[in-house]
Amino acid sequence: MPHRAPGSPHHDQTSYLSGRQIRYYRPTGSPDVRRLIDDGFQAFNAARLSEACHIFSEKMLRPEHDTTIGLTVAGALTPAGLGGCMIELMERGLVDFVISTGANLYHDLHYALNFTLHRGTPFLDDRDLYEKGVIRIYDVLFPADVLLETDSYIRDFLARKDRDLGGPLSSADLHYALGLDLIEKCPGCEEHSVVARAAACGVPIYTSSPGDSSIGMNVAYHELMNGGRVVIDPNRDVNEVCAIILAGKKNGCVILGGGSPKNFYLQGQPTLWEVYGIPKGGNDYFIQFTTDQVVWGGLSGATPSEAVSWGKVNPGVLPDTVVSYCDSTIAFPLFCEYAVGSPNGRRPRRGLLHQRAGLVADLLRQAKARAR
Amino acid sequence: MPHRAPGSPHHDQTSYLSGRQIRYYRPTGSPDVRRLIDDGFQAFNAARLSEACHIFSEKMLRPEHDTTIGLTVAGALTPAGLGGCMIELMERGLVDFVISTGANLYHDLHYALNFTLHRGTPFLDDRDLYEKGVIRIYDVLFPADVLLETDSYIRDFLARKDRDLGGPLSSADLHYALGLDLIEKCPGCEEHSVVARAAACGVPIYTSSPGDSSIGMNVAYHELMNGGRVVIDPNRDVNEVCAIILAGKKNGCVILGGGSPKNFYLQGQPTLWEVYGIPKGGNDYFIQFTTDQVVWGGLSGATPSEAVSWGKVNPGVLPDTVVSYCDSTIAFPLFCEYAVGSPNGRRPRRGLLHQRAGLVADLLRQAKARAR
Amino acid sequence: MPHRAPGSPHHDQTSYLSGRQIRYYRPTGSPDVRRLIDDGFQAFNAARLSEACHIFSEKMLRPEHDTTIGLTVAGALTPAGLGGCMIELMERGLVDFVISTGANLYHDLHYALNFTLHRGTPFLDDRDLYEKGVIRIYDVLFPADVLLETDSYIRDFLARKDRDLGGPLSSADLHYALGLDLIEKCPGCEEHSVVARAAACGVPIYTSSPGDSSIGMNVAYHELMNGGRVVIDPNRDVNEVCAIILAGKKNGCVILGGGSPKNFYLQGQPTLWEVYGIPKGGNDYFIQFTTDQVVWGGLSGATPSEAVSWGKVNPGVLPDTVVSYCDSTIAFPLFCEYAVGSPNGRRPRRGLLHQRAGLVADLLRQAKARAR
Amino acid sequence: MPHRAPGSPHHDQTSYLSGRQIRYYRPTGSPDVRRLIDDGFQAFNAARLSEACHIFSEKMLRPEHDTTIGLTVAGALTPAGLGGCMIELMERGLVDFVISTGANLYHDLHYALNFTLHRGTPFLDDRDLYEKGVIRIYDVLFPADVLLETDSYIRDFLARKDRDLGGPLSSADLHYALGLDLIEKCPGCEEHSVVARAAACGVPIYTSSPGDSSIGMNVAYHELMNGGRVVIDPNRDVNEVCAIILAGKKNGCVILGGGSPKNFYLQGQPTLWEVYGIPKGGNDYFIQFTTDQVVWGGLSGATPSEAVSWGKVNPGVLPDTVVSYCDSTIAFPLFCEYAVGSPNGRRPRRGLLHQRAGLVADLLRQAKARAR
């Protein structure tokens, strides 16, 4: 066998894993951090970050605006320990639904299941890591066993719940069921798991590429090997997100990174006007932290301005849109400190997870009315 | 109604659309271009592009290596007219399967349906474009009607074919059916449509995020409004791609951009060892054109080296991997000119589209054998 | 006259200048910020920023290491209000000398002379700004008069001091003379001027491209129009910086951005071994905040590792080097908060400005000894 | 001695230096390449590159426009073998003057002196390179001796010519003298040296940061060790470049990379209106190849648009400005192929090198007239 799989015999793995354990940091609303952002972040991307804080805290969260807020998550944020920021926002009602890469949700399970990820460095010999059974996500390190055991949990979960879940379901359904199962199996894990906390808070979590993560890989295994019936139906995801957006009095988003989750969120408004014929209008608020660039042509870098021509962003609201070019691992904790410490730092939770059926029915009714 | 939808009354749209029509450019294998790449591209990303040309032409395409080659496509490449490069590669047997964002496939349909996209500029007032019903993809411009009529074609296609397609299917099945339908409706369109040509050539096309494009939006409409039964089952995509990779004597990829298609391709090997327990080993060749950076943490920027620790790339083959940091709109046509003009510039077509059932059965058999 | 010069009649300028006044923010050493950096910045560039804080505070500033620390400054940092961070570091003895683009020093004079720069936005019509006599540096806005009056001050200064300054001098000499003149003309301005404070603190400030800024433009005017004798002699800059580095027990740098100031600093060690034949060895510590990338080939993006092959960085110290990819406007205030609040947050000032003659004599003596 | 200097005893250096020799590639005006650029480069940065080719060939080079064209050069272009493109442009009269980093000129001397640089890879252990006396510029490799012998040539040249050069001179004077000396010492070297060819063609070459390169380092050595009198006077550079721009009927630039050379070129117009009071107007044409981004705030990324507010670019000509985001090592050879093959691919050489005194006298006369 020419290429040994990671996870096979290894020695000296421990030296790679000697860095501090990564824990979900929970923002506390520090006045010092708020002062630094207000007075010290005056120009360039620092000013954009400051603007993002103000738009979020003073406009999107203003009670009378009643903004339905989506958070999209791309990039390895849960491995980097930023799940604590997501938990804090969900718990305080500051985000209403989430669209994430599958990888962020998969790696969140490690925290729920009490596995440990470590701080490390990106400057390692990957051939040796492979030999020693150590997995690297840039500078985050953990044993390959963490993958194997998390996979094993997922397959066990699928086998146990196949009857309940069976048949096409939305990714929000799957993540909800996962979250409830985690809370049951590992009581208290909602303190350090986004998936578990979202289930507890009634926040639906979608993924735009259901087959593209270790969760999706294991669902596929379950279908092929066990004849399992769990299938993510992307149609339901499209329609549920559309319905949530349609129901929003105002709509706004916080986009971490970009990628497929960003596009999936932003296509909600075009789906309404272009496909369903419902003139809802675009987003009222748009905040993005990214390091991608519009000139490189990917959607991650596409600006709120370009989104206007597609009806994704309201033409009149460009002042309430902002892109701050900064690594989310730096910008997002600062942004959350600011939001948590703001006078609007807590809202009633909207509980969208449990209202999806009604919202989709509304979408159907409005679309039928237009189609006449 | 505060925000008028694009496509409503517009005037002066024509002035925005006065740029040259975008046509699919077909590489011809120019010796001059090959000489420039060999002698003029000596260092930095020019040298990486040159290396990519050599690895592809001399190693991946070498007959005795019999490499199964995946092409992943992210970024607005069909709107930019690069579908002609993809067609040329498929027609010559130089790529065996494709994983693409849905957007690239959706916009490819415009060419098949004989709609026109125009060269333009990114420096326009998007509020005015919106008023005039002009859609902008960076510097590519076209009327909003192109969207509406393409959507209309897709919904009509779904209604006509619902019975045949009905029930969960892989995205390759859907794209194949679309391609056949286009060829039937618009004979000759396989000269200027990737989706149509792939159907004709037996090249399966997958999308990693089935709900995340206008195709997915219209499939979702079909389900909600018509009770349609067309559902993309991501499990089938995962298993088919896995099976294709497993069957490869050698495996290699050409990655344009990155994003979710890149990850979806690269997770094939980990699915085999991590989930199915089959020690296939990682990729033997890895070529990427991107402008994303590893230090920004997104997978698009993750290097072949990082992929080694995950078992995605074989530890021994790092010399046969290359990342050239360059906009695909510049690098890909140069790369294709080089490949087409090379002595290995044509291979027998593998016809994977029609072998999928057998390959998945092999995957199942091997996985069952390992599970014992 | 086809193109009207800015600064000519304008109206409505005030609306452009209605944003908050930019003031030099002074870091105070907030424990909250330190906690966020220690506990919340765990991976990716956040972790690199955290590492930079630790290397600086715990290693470079450790009293027994007695590190000679250079700060290099590129990018519009004084216009962005980051001069306060530089002042705080100089005042506390945390940087010993500075290499800056001329532009940062030129724009620092506006603060000293009590002119006002304003927070703004990058999304403006530059043709209208030009008409209205408003100058834009990305999102920083100010009247063209600020340029004209600052220029006028510089020319007046040169005329008054020509006799004292006359003849070739180092850029540190010129900046010192400017600083003293500012303190005399605008008492108290050392609280809000880097150039003035550096003069007061004995910190030499060099510029690597003396003709490349409005200061250089006015010195050139002075020579051409007045027959002035003020000439920056780049040789003196090279030799003084070399001599400072040679005298360092340990050497370390904080590099903001990159560009010519970075290279000018880093060539110090090669000048010693390659040109003068003195085997001093490379830097012991290396911290950079940049958004440039090594793969683009510019020196701004060149890594500490590449610098090793040139003898710019000691081969053994790579663990004490770090590059955090982040806009300096975000990273530098956070870094300074951390440093100021650290136990080593104050050092005796080294007063290199006044030791240069002796240090250069030492360099000459050692070089002569080697040449024998 | 703790850190051994490169260039000391080494073994196995040859294996590092086994890559193909880098040679200056000379563009030939291939019609195939022109066709690819015209028909295949239709959108995104490919389209910008195509636009740059058209603006240059059809507007800037049009005989009746008589455009004075500056080329600015940053990034390691001569090490990458792009000096041949520069030679071809100078020889054909397609650029009139050059502003370059010192490093590009210094490394050009290796080619003139018949030293060899090699193609390599960036993935090497720099500590071992250092041990083996191999210098690395990203993926370009050569022995440390090349530095030492090139330095030795420069110091010898300075010693021989001190009397002739002595006293403050412009960097164009120094580079001219160097070029003449090279031609004398190594006849024929103007075929493979930018510095030599520029001297032969009468093209002045400036450097914006005279102390910031190995040339500057050796001039500084000459002053300190030999009491040499060679001093680059940045004032002369500023005034000569200003005078050249003032004399242009139309002005245009080709900017490779960005950095200090870009700024130095672009400050020409502001020097005229802001300092000398001469309303010349800004550039008529502006072409830049860069990978830097405006959102990062460095001048390399600053757009033609921002330059308008400073009077650096004419407000009316934004359509004749273009930035193509692409590594110069890829874009510049393509651009030069296009230009060389164009109907305007040859112009009478302007010979600015020998007209500088007259042009500066004109500048002085006009400035005096305005000052009255």
Side-chain angles (χ1 to χ4, degrees):
Chain A
M1 183 172 85
H3 306 293
R4 200 144 47 80
S8 350
H10 39 71
H11 43 87
D12 247 311
Q13 195 192 69
T14 47
S15 68
Y16 282 122
L17 302 176
S18 60
R20 256 175 87 183
Q21 179 178 354
I22 293 177
R23 292 171 175 282
Y24 277 178
Y25 172 86
R26 293 283 281 274
T28 58
S30 154
D32 277 17
V33 173
R34 288 174 56 88
R35 196 176 314 117
L36 172 61
I37 290 171
D38 281 337
D39 296 340
F41 284 6
Q42 306 179 79
F44 294 87
N45 288 299
R48 295 297 88 65
L49 174 50
S50 175
E51 273 178 44
C53 291
H54 283 271
I55 290 171
F56 191 64
S57 301
E58 290 156 26
K59 295 187 173 178
M60 290 171 72
L61 298 183
R62 183 182 293 188
E64 56 271 39
H65 286 174
D66 193 21
T67 309
T68 297
I69 300 175
L71 173 72
T72 84
V73 185
L77 298 196
T78 57
L82 296 190
C85 290
M86 296 174 67
I87 288 173
E88 194 69 34
L89 294 187
M90 293 190 300
E91 197 272 327
R92 290 170 166 270
L94 306 185
V95 301
D96 298 310
F97 66 109
V98 172
I99 300 170
S100 174
T101 58
N104 273 302
L105 305 175
Y106 173 71
H107 294 302
D108 176 74
L109 302 185
H110 310 329
Y111 295 86
L113 298 168
N114 218 13
F115 297 127
T116 306
L117 282 61
H118 293 271
R119 300 190 188 189
T121 159
F123 306 111
L124 296 171
D125 182 337
D126 287 289
R127 289 165 298 191
D128 194 50
L129 290 177
Y130 179 77
E131 285 300 310
K132 306 294 163 54
V134 174
I135 299 290
R136 176 167 83 84
I137 302 175
Y138 195 60
D139 60 350
V140 176
L141 302 172
F142 53 94
D145 287 343
V146 169
L147 300 182
L148 299 174
E149 295 186 28
T150 304
D151 290 359
S152 169
Y153 162 75
I154 297 171
R155 289 198 300 269
D156 174 67
F157 157 80
L158 290 167
R160 284 186 284 112
K161 303 288 182 180
D162 184 75
R163 188 180 300 265
D164 305 338
L165 295 171
L169 73 169
S170 81
S171 63
D173 291 322
L174 179 69
H175 300 140
Y176 180 43
L178 258 176
L180 292 181
D181 195 66
L182 289 167
I183 292 172
E184 194 187 313
K185 291 243 161 200
C186 316
C189 74
E190 63 270 32
E191 285 306 312
H192 42 272
S193 162
V194 171
V195 172
R197 178 57 68 105
C201 289
V203 173
I205 301 183
Y206 295 93
T207 191
S208 52
S209 43
D212 176 26
S213 82
S214 293
I215 295 178
M217 282 150 56
N218 285 292
V219 176
Y221 171 99
H222 180 65
E223 179 177 292
L224 186 65
M225 297 287 279
N226 303 339
R229 294 167 309 167
V230 179
V231 175
I232 304 289
D233 176 0
N235 298 330
R236 299 189 188 211
D237 284 37
V238 171
N239 288 324
E240 289 182 10
V241 168
C242 235
I244 288 171
I245 288 170
L246 178 59
K249 195 173 145 195
K250 282 176 176 279
N251 294 98
C253 53
V254 177
I255 293 171
L256 303 181
S260 177
K262 175 186 175 180
N263 195 49
F264 193 77
Y265 174 81
L266 286 179
Q267 77 175 12
Q269 273 93 349
T271 305
L272 289 171
W273 71 256
E274 180 187 330
V275 177
Y276 285 111
I278 303 172
K280 158 74 179 171
N283 273 275
D284 301 286
Y285 307 106
F286 178 111
I287 290 169
Q288 183 174 15
F289 299 108
T290 190
T291 53
D292 201 359
Q293 300 295 325
V294 66
V295 301
W296 298 131
L299 186 83
S300 298
T303 56
S305 177
E306 182 167 334
V308 164
S309 89
W310 288 80
K312 294 172 177 175
V313 167
N314 278 343
V317 304
L318 285 177
D320 293 337
T321 65
V322 66
V323 181
S324 177
Y325 295 90
C326 184
D327 190 326
S328 297
T329 58
I330 294 173
F332 192 49
L334 290 165
F335 174 79
C336 290
E337 285 289 346
Y338 199 95
V340 163
S342 97
N344 298 322
R346 193 175 286 280
R347 298 196 307 176
R349 292 202 289 265
R350 207 175 288 274
L352 290 174
L353 187 60
H354 309 298
Q355 302 176 33
R356 292 173 296 145
L359 297 177
V360 172
D362 272 354
L363 167 62
L364 179 58
R365 192 169 47 244
Q366 289 197 40
K368 292 275 188 197
R370 291 276 162 187
R372 254 178 239 130
Chain B
M1 182 173 88
H3 306 294
R4 199 146 45 80
S8 351
H10 40 72
H11 43 88
D12 248 310
Q13 195 192 67
T14 48
S15 68
Y16 281 122
L17 303 176
S18 59
R20 258 176 87 183
Q21 180 178 352
I22 293 178
R23 292 171 177 282
Y24 276 177
Y25 172 86
R26 292 283 279 272
T28 58
S30 155
D32 279 17
V33 173
R34 287 173 57 86
R35 195 177 316 117
L36 172 60
I37 290 171
D38 280 337
D39 296 341
F41 285 4
Q42 306 178 79
F44 293 88
N45 288 297
R48 296 297 87 65
L49 173 49
S50 175
E51 273 178 44
C53 292
H54 284 270
I55 291 171
F56 191 64
S57 301
E58 291 156 25
K59 296 187 172 178
M60 291 171 71
L61 298 183
R62 181 181 295 188
E64 56 271 40
H65 285 176
D66 192 21
T67 310
T68 296
I69 299 176
L71 174 71
T72 83
V73 185
L77 298 196
T78 58
L82 297 190
C85 289
M86 294 172 68
I87 288 173
E88 195 69 33
L89 294 187
M90 293 188 302
E91 198 274 325
R92 291 170 166 270
L94 307 184
V95 301
D96 297 309
F97 66 108
V98 172
I99 300 170
S100 173
T101 59
N104 273 302
L105 305 175
Y106 173 71
H107 294 302
D108 176 73
L109 302 185
H110 309 329
Y111 295 85
L113 298 169
N114 217 13
F115 296 125
T116 307
L117 281 60
H118 294 270
R119 298 190 189 189
T121 158
F123 305 111
L124 296 170
D125 181 337
D126 287 289
R127 289 164 300 190
D128 194 50
L129 290 176
Y130 179 77
E131 285 299 310
K132 305 294 162 51
V134 174
I135 299 290
R136 177 166 83 83
I137 302 175
Y138 193 61
D139 60 351
V140 175
L141 302 172
F142 54 91
D145 287 344
V146 169
L147 299 183
L148 299 174
E149 295 185 30
T150 304
D151 291 357
S152 168
Y153 162 75
I154 297 170
R155 289 198 300 269
D156 174 67
F157 157 80
L158 290 168
R160 286 185 284 112
K161 303 286 182 182
D162 184 74
R163 191 179 300 263
D164 303 340
L165 294 171
L169 72 170
S170 83
S171 63
D173 291 322
L174 179 70
H175 299 140
Y176 180 43
L178 258 176
L180 292 181
D181 194 65
L182 289 167
I183 293 173
E184 192 187 314
K185 291 244 160 199
C186 317
C189 74
E190 62 272 33
E191 285 306 311
H192 40 272
S193 162
V194 171
V195 172
R197 179 55 69 105
C201 289
V203 173
I205 301 183
Y206 295 93
T207 190
S208 52
S209 44
D212 175 26
S213 83
S214 293
I215 295 177
M217 282 151 55
N218 284 291
V219 176
Y221 170 101
H222 180 66
E223 178 177 293
L224 185 66
M225 297 287 280
N226 304 341
R229 293 167 311 167
V230 179
V231 175
I232 304 289
D233 175 0
N235 298 330
R236 298 189 189 212
D237 284 38
V238 171
N239 287 325
E240 289 183 9
V241 168
C242 235
I244 288 170
I245 288 171
L246 178 60
K249 192 172 146 196
K250 281 177 178 278
N251 294 96
C253 53
V254 177
I255 294 171
L256 304 180
S260 176
K262 174 185 177 182
N263 195 49
F264 193 76
Y265 174 80
L266 286 179
Q267 78 176 12
Q269 274 92 347
T271 304
L272 289 172
W273 71 256
E274 178 188 331
V275 177
Y276 285 112
I278 303 171
K280 157 74 178 169
N283 273 274
D284 300 288
Y285 306 108
F286 178 112
I287 289 170
Q288 182 174 16
F289 299 108
T290 189
T291 52
D292 201 359
Q293 301 295 325
V294 66
V295 300
W296 297 133
L299 187 82
S300 299
T303 57
S305 176
E306 181 167 334
V308 164
S309 88
W310 288 80
K312 295 171 176 176
V313 167
N314 278 344
V317 303
L318 285 176
D320 293 337
T321 65
V322 66
V323 181
S324 176
Y325 295 90
C326 184
D327 190 327
S328 297
T329 59
I330 293 171
F332 192 49
L334 290 165
F335 174 80
C336 290
E337 285 290 347
Y338 199 96
V340 163
S342 98
N344 298 323
R346 192 175 286 280
R347 297 196 306 176
R349 290 203 289 267
R350 206 176 288 274
L352 290 175
L353 187 60
H354 309 299
Q355 301 175 34
R356 293 172 295 146
L359 298 177
V360 171
D362 272 353
L363 166 62
L364 179 58
R365 192 168 47 245
Q366 290 197 40
K368 292 274 189 198
R370 290 275 163 187
R372 256 180 238 129
Chain C
M1 182 172 87
H3 306 293
R4 198 146 46 82
S8 351
H10 40 73
H11 43 88
D12 246 311
Q13 195 192 66
T14 47
S15 68
Y16 282 121
L17 304 175
S18 58
R20 258 175 85 182
Q21 180 178 352
I22 293 177
R23 291 170 177 283
Y24 277 177
Y25 172 85
R26 292 284 278 273
T28 58
S30 154
D32 278 17
V33 173
R34 288 174 56 89
R35 197 176 313 118
L36 172 61
I37 290 171
D38 281 337
D39 296 340
F41 285 6
Q42 305 179 78
F44 293 87
N45 288 298
R48 296 295 89 64
L49 174 48
S50 175
E51 271 178 44
C53 292
H54 284 270
I55 290 171
F56 191 64
S57 301
E58 290 156 25
K59 296 186 173 178
M60 292 171 71
L61 298 183
R62 183 183 292 189
E64 56 271 40
H65 286 175
D66 192 22
T67 311
T68 297
I69 299 176
L71 174 72
T72 84
V73 185
L77 298 197
T78 57
L82 296 189
C85 290
M86 296 173 66
I87 288 173
E88 193 71 33
L89 294 187
M90 293 189 300
E91 198 272 326
R92 289 171 167 270
L94 307 185
V95 301
D96 297 309
F97 65 109
V98 172
I99 300 169
S100 173
T101 59
N104 273 303
L105 305 175
Y106 173 70
H107 294 302
D108 176 73
L109 301 185
H110 309 328
Y111 294 86
L113 297 168
N114 217 12
F115 296 126
T116 307
L117 282 60
H118 294 270
R119 299 189 188 189
T121 159
F123 306 111
L124 296 170
D125 181 338
D126 288 289
R127 289 165 298 193
D128 194 51
L129 290 177
Y130 179 77
E131 285 300 309
K132 305 295 162 54
V134 174
I135 299 289
R136 177 166 83 84
I137 302 174
Y138 194 59
D139 60 350
V140 175
L141 303 171
F142 53 93
D145 286 345
V146 169
L147 300 182
L148 299 175
E149 295 186 29
T150 304
D151 290 357
S152 168
Y153 161 75
I154 297 170
R155 289 198 299 270
D156 175 67
F157 158 80
L158 290 167
R160 285 185 283 112
K161 304 286 182 180
D162 184 75
R163 187 179 302 263
D164 304 338
L165 295 172
L169 72 170
S170 82
S171 63
D173 290 323
L174 179 70
H175 299 140
Y176 179 44
L178 257 175
L180 292 180
D181 194 66
L182 288 167
I183 292 172
E184 191 187 316
K185 291 244 161 201
C186 316
C189 74
E190 63 271 32
E191 286 306 312
H192 41 272
S193 162
V194 171
V195 172
R197 178 58 67 106
C201 290
V203 173
I205 301 183
Y206 295 93
T207 191
S208 52
S209 43
D212 176 26
S213 83
S214 293
I215 294 177
M217 283 150 54
N218 284 293
V219 176
Y221 171 100
H222 180 66
E223 178 176 294
L224 185 67
M225 296 287 280
N226 303 339
R229 294 166 308 166
V230 180
V231 174
I232 304 290
D233 176 0
N235 299 331
R236 299 191 188 210
D237 284 36
V238 171
N239 288 325
E240 290 183 10
V241 169
C242 235
I244 288 171
I245 288 170
L246 177 60
K249 193 174 145 195
K250 282 177 177 278
N251 293 97
C253 53
V254 177
I255 294 171
L256 303 180
S260 177
K262 174 186 176 180
N263 195 49
F264 193 76
Y265 174 80
L266 285 179
Q267 79 176 12
Q269 273 93 348
T271 305
L272 289 172
W273 72 256
E274 178 188 332
V275 177
Y276 285 112
I278 303 172
K280 158 74 180 170
N283 273 274
D284 300 287
Y285 306 107
F286 178 111
I287 289 169
Q288 183 175 15
F289 299 108
T290 189
T291 53
D292 202 357
Q293 301 295 325
V294 65
V295 300
W296 298 132
L299 191 84
S300 299
T303 56
S305 177
E306 181 166 335
V308 165
S309 88
W310 289 80
K312 295 172 178 176
V313 167
N314 279 345
V317 303
L318 285 177
D320 293 337
T321 65
V322 67
V323 181
S324 177
Y325 295 91
C326 184
D327 190 327
S328 298
T329 59
I330 293 173
F332 192 48
L334 290 166
F335 174 80
C336 290
E337 285 289 347
Y338 198 95
V340 163
S342 97
N344 298 322
R346 191 175 287 281
R347 297 197 307 177
R349 289 201 290 265
R350 206 175 289 273
L352 291 174
L353 187 59
H354 310 297
Q355 302 177 32
R356 292 172 297 147
L359 298 176
V360 171
D362 272 352
L363 165 63
L364 180 58
R365 192 168 47 244
Q366 289 197 40
K368 292 274 188 198
R370 291 275 162 186
R372 254 180 240 126
Chain D
M1 182 173 87
H3 306 292
R4 199 146 45 82
S8 353
H10 40 71
H11 44 88
D12 247 309
Q13 194 191 70
T14 47
S15 67
Y16 283 122
L17 303 175
S18 59
R20 258 176 85 183
Q21 179 178 354
I22 293 177
R23 291 172 177 283
Y24 277 178
Y25 172 85
R26 291 284 279 272
T28 59
S30 154
D32 278 17
V33 173
R34 287 173 57 87
R35 195 177 315 117
L36 172 61
I37 290 171
D38 280 337
D39 296 341
F41 284 4
Q42 306 179 78
F44 292 87
N45 288 298
R48 295 298 88 64
L49 173 49
S50 175
E51 273 178 43
C53 292
H54 284 270
I55 290 171
F56 191 64
S57 301
E58 291 157 25
K59 296 187 172 177
M60 290 171 72
L61 298 183
R62 181 181 294 188
E64 56 271 40
H65 284 175
D66 192 21
T67 309
T68 297
I69 300 176
L71 173 72
T72 83
V73 186
L77 298 196
T78 58
L82 297 189
C85 290
M86 295 173 67
I87 288 173
E88 194 69 35
L89 294 187
M90 292 189 301
E91 197 275 325
R92 290 170 166 270
L94 307 184
V95 302
D96 299 309
F97 66 108
V98 172
I99 300 169
S100 173
T101 58
N104 273 302
L105 306 175
Y106 173 71
H107 294 302
D108 176 74
L109 302 185
H110 310 328
Y111 295 86
L113 298 168
N114 217 13
F115 297 126
T116 307
L117 282 58
H118 294 270
R119 300 190 189 188
T121 158
F123 306 110
L124 296 170
D125 181 339
D126 287 288
R127 288 164 300 189
D128 193 51
L129 290 177
Y130 179 78
E131 284 300 310
K132 305 295 162 51
V134 175
I135 299 289
R136 178 167 82 84
I137 303 175
Y138 194 61
D139 59 350
V140 176
L141 302 172
F142 53 92
D145 286 344
V146 169
L147 299 182
L148 299 174
E149 295 185 30
T150 304
D151 291 357
S152 168
Y153 162 75
I154 297 171
R155 289 198 300 269
D156 174 67
F157 157 81
L158 290 168
R160 285 185 285 110
K161 303 287 182 181
D162 185 75
R163 188 180 301 262
D164 304 338
L165 295 171
L169 72 170
S170 83
S171 62
D173 290 322
L174 178 69
H175 299 140
Y176 180 44
L178 257 176
L180 292 181
D181 194 66
L182 289 167
I183 292 172
E184 194 186 313
K185 292 244 159 200
C186 317
C189 75
E190 62 272 33
E191 286 306 311
H192 41 271
S193 162
V194 172
V195 172
R197 179 56 68 106
C201 290
V203 173
I205 301 183
Y206 295 93
T207 192
S208 52
S209 43
D212 176 26
S213 83
S214 293
I215 295 178
M217 282 150 54
N218 284 292
V219 176
Y221 170 101
H222 180 65
E223 178 177 293
L224 185 66
M225 296 287 280
N226 304 340
R229 292 166 311 165
V230 180
V231 175
I232 304 288
D233 175 0
N235 298 331
R236 299 190 187 209
D237 284 37
V238 171
N239 288 324
E240 289 183 10
V241 168
C242 234
I244 287 171
I245 288 171
L246 177 60
K249 193 173 146 197
K250 280 177 179 279
N251 294 97
C253 53
V254 177
I255 294 171
L256 303 180
S260 177
K262 174 185 177 181
N263 195 50
F264 193 76
Y265 174 80
L266 285 179
Q267 78 175 12
Q269 274 91 348
T271 305
L272 289 172
W273 71 257
E274 179 188 330
V275 176
Y276 285 112
I278 302 172
K280 158 73 178 169
N283 274 274
D284 300 287
Y285 307 107
F286 179 111
I287 289 169
Q288 183 175 14
F289 299 108
T290 189
T291 52
D292 202 359
Q293 301 295 324
V294 65
V295 302
W296 297 132
L299 190 84
S300 298
T303 57
S305 177
E306 181 167 335
V308 165
S309 88
W310 288 80
K312 295 173 177 175
V313 168
N314 278 343
V317 303
L318 284 177
D320 293 337
T321 64
V322 66
V323 182
S324 177
Y325 295 90
C326 185
D327 190 326
S328 297
T329 58
I330 294 173
F332 192 49
L334 290 166
F335 174 81
C336 290
E337 285 290 346
Y338 199 95
V340 163
S342 98
N344 298 323
R346 193 174 286 281
R347 298 196 307 176
R349 289 202 290 268
R350 206 175 288 275
L352 290 175
L353 187 60
H354 310 296
Q355 301 175 34
R356 292 172 297 145
L359 297 177
V360 171
D362 273 353
L363 166 62
L364 179 58
R365 192 168 47 247
Q366 288 197 40
K368 292 273 189 198
R370 291 277 161 184
R372 255 178 238 129

